[in-house]
Amino acid sequence: MSDEGSGKLIYKVVGGVFATIIAPLIVAVGVKLLDTPAAPQAGAPDAGAAAPPAAAGPAAAGTVTNEPPATNSADPSLAVEAQPRVAPQPTRTIHLFNGVNLDGFDTYLGSGRPKGKPLAKNHDPKNVFTVHDGMIHVTGEMFGGLVTQDEFEDYRLTIEYRWGEQTWPPREENARTSGVFLHGAGPPLAASNGQTARRPRCIRCLIGEGETGGLLLLGSTPKDPISVEATAEPLAAAGEDRRMPQFQYRPDAAPTTITHGYLARLDRPPGWRDVKGFHGRRDIEHPAGEWNILVCTCRGPRISIRLNGKLVNEILHSSLRRGRITLQSNHAEIFFRRVDLEQFASEREAPST
């Protein structure tokens, strides 16, 4: 065999051995090496261990953290307050209306006649106040009120109401009205239709078509005024309303002291008219026949009013802080299905925080 032929034979033998034996061994070893995790470097975390917590940074707006307060060793006075102040929570709930009867209330009614004497306490010959279908039904036929037997302070009062169809003279064609008397003291009945007035000293939260949430000072006199402070602006009044000072609640207005008059709610519908069935295009109150939620929070000297979830009026400081609560009958049929009072710890007794 020639040298050239011998060389070709050797190359074939070596190539066959490499292809059948050596190459598979190299591939197997490479795969094994790839499957084996690399040894951790000194100081590096183990890949299978839990990731360390992220470095502390500023908390997102609106969140509360449980981290201890940050301190400055050089100046301890710069320590951050550990926990934000928590709004006070009610300590108990009182169902002023039990859904069955009028236990816990007294009725007071006018005579229904000009210059007539008011009826005796709990004398309701025309059934102005009744309970049926889990609701208090107030016909509105006679002027008067359903008054709690107990006095209250520091509470959140939640009332669900809706208007009925019936209205009575002298307001059968006027906007439906009723009200909730807060911090009532003195004679509980406010007479009307020419009767001798016996107005209680109270703050009346108006329930009225297009005006629910307005606040009126009743029984305030120059000798014995009710004094409230609110962020408000004077409101121009027309007609008979000129006899009473009127103000408009505005959160961004300067604080104003009021001892007589009416504090109109925020977002009173433009073009309000004293006509039955009035309902503004963007009125907060739902139209007649639908349920509304009115929340009156009396906490210390402050009073805030919410209608269907929106803040509509607020008093920063009131000279009245305690008294009875009245649901008013005022010439319009109205239903109440919830009258709940959530009691706060008295600010006069609670420790300062």
Side-chain angles (χ1 to χ4, degrees), residues 1-64:
M1 181 180 296
S2 65
D3 292 341
E4 182 179 355
S6 298
K8 291 181 178 180
L9 179 61
I10 293 172
Y11 284 129
K12 289 182 179 180
V13 173
V14 172
V17 172
F18 182 86
T20 57
I21 299 176
I22 298 176
L25 288 175
I26 293 174
V27 172
V29 172
V31 171
K32 182 66 175 177
L33 290 173
L34 291 175
D35 288 342
T36 302
Q41 299 178 357
D46 186 356
T63 62
V64 178

Side-chain angles (χ1 to χ4, degrees), residues 48-314:
T63 62
V64 178
T65 65
N66 293 321
E67 296 296 325
T71 58
N72 186 317
S73 57
D75 185 359
S77 67
L78 298 179
V80 178
E81 185 175 336
Q83 294 290 340
R85 292 195 176 189
V86 178
Q89 297 299 312
T91 57
R92 63 170 180 159
T93 298
I94 303 171
H95 301 292
L96 297 182
F97 172 49
N98 60 21
V100 178
N101 53 43
L102 296 178
D103 286 356
F105 289 95
D106 291 319
T107 64
Y108 293 84
L109 292 166
S111 69
R113 302 190 312 272
K115 298 183 180 180
K117 292 183 178 180
L119 300 182
K121 173 176 141 180
N122 291 328
H123 181 45
D124 184 3
K126 294 190 175 182
N127 293 321
V128 174
F129 301 102
T130 58
V131 174
H132 61 80
D133 302 318
M135 301 178 294
I136 299 174
H137 180 194
V138 183
T139 67
E141 181 176 1
M142 299 179 69
F143 189 86
L146 189 63
V147 186
T148 61
Q149 295 169 347
D150 295 330
E151 295 186 350
F152 301 97
E153 68 176 316
D154 291 309
Y155 59 82
R156 180 166 57 222
L157 177 68
T158 301
I159 294 173
E160 292 188 34
Y161 73 92
R162 69 171 174 86
W163 296 111
E165 287 298 321
Q166 184 68 54
T167 53
W168 304 87
R171 297 190 54 85
E172 60 263 59
E173 300 300 329
N174 298 98
R176 298 173 175 91
T177 60
S178 180
V180 182
F181 293 179
L182 306 173
H183 302 329
L189 176 63
S192 69
N193 295 343
Q195 300 175 36
T196 301
R198 296 200 304 154
R199 293 188 178 276
R201 282 173 55 80
C202 68
I203 297 174
R204 179 196 184 200
C205 177
L206 179 66
I207 300 178
E209 291 183 300
E211 289 197 297
T212 298
L215 297 172
L216 178 66
L217 307 185
L218 291 182
S220 182
T221 65
K223 292 184 178 180
D224 189 15
I226 298 171
S227 177
V228 302
E229 184 181 86
T231 54
E233 297 175 347
L235 183 65
E240 294 184 357
D241 290 339
R242 291 178 180 174
R243 296 175 300 179
M244 178 187 301
Q246 295 199 24
F247 303 86
Q248 174 74 63
Y249 164 66
R250 295 193 184 283
D252 56 350
T256 299
T257 299
I258 304 170
T259 57
H260 175 57
Y262 177 63
L263 181 61
R265 80 173 197 207
L266 187 69
D267 292 337
R268 181 185 185 186
W272 179 86
R273 293 178 299 131
D274 189 10
V275 296
K276 182 178 179 179
F278 177 86
H279 188 262
R281 186 176 62 178
R282 297 182 179 177
D283 202 338
I284 302 168
E285 185 183 39
H286 301 149
E290 297 183 16
W291 290 100
N292 295 273
I293 300 177
L294 178 67
V295 179
C296 307
T297 302
C298 303
R299 176 69 175 159
R302 301 177 71 100
I303 299 174
S304 66
I305 309 297
R306 290 183 177 273
L307 176 60
N308 293 326
K310 181 170 184 177
L311 179 68
V312 295
N313 220 333
E314 185 171 34

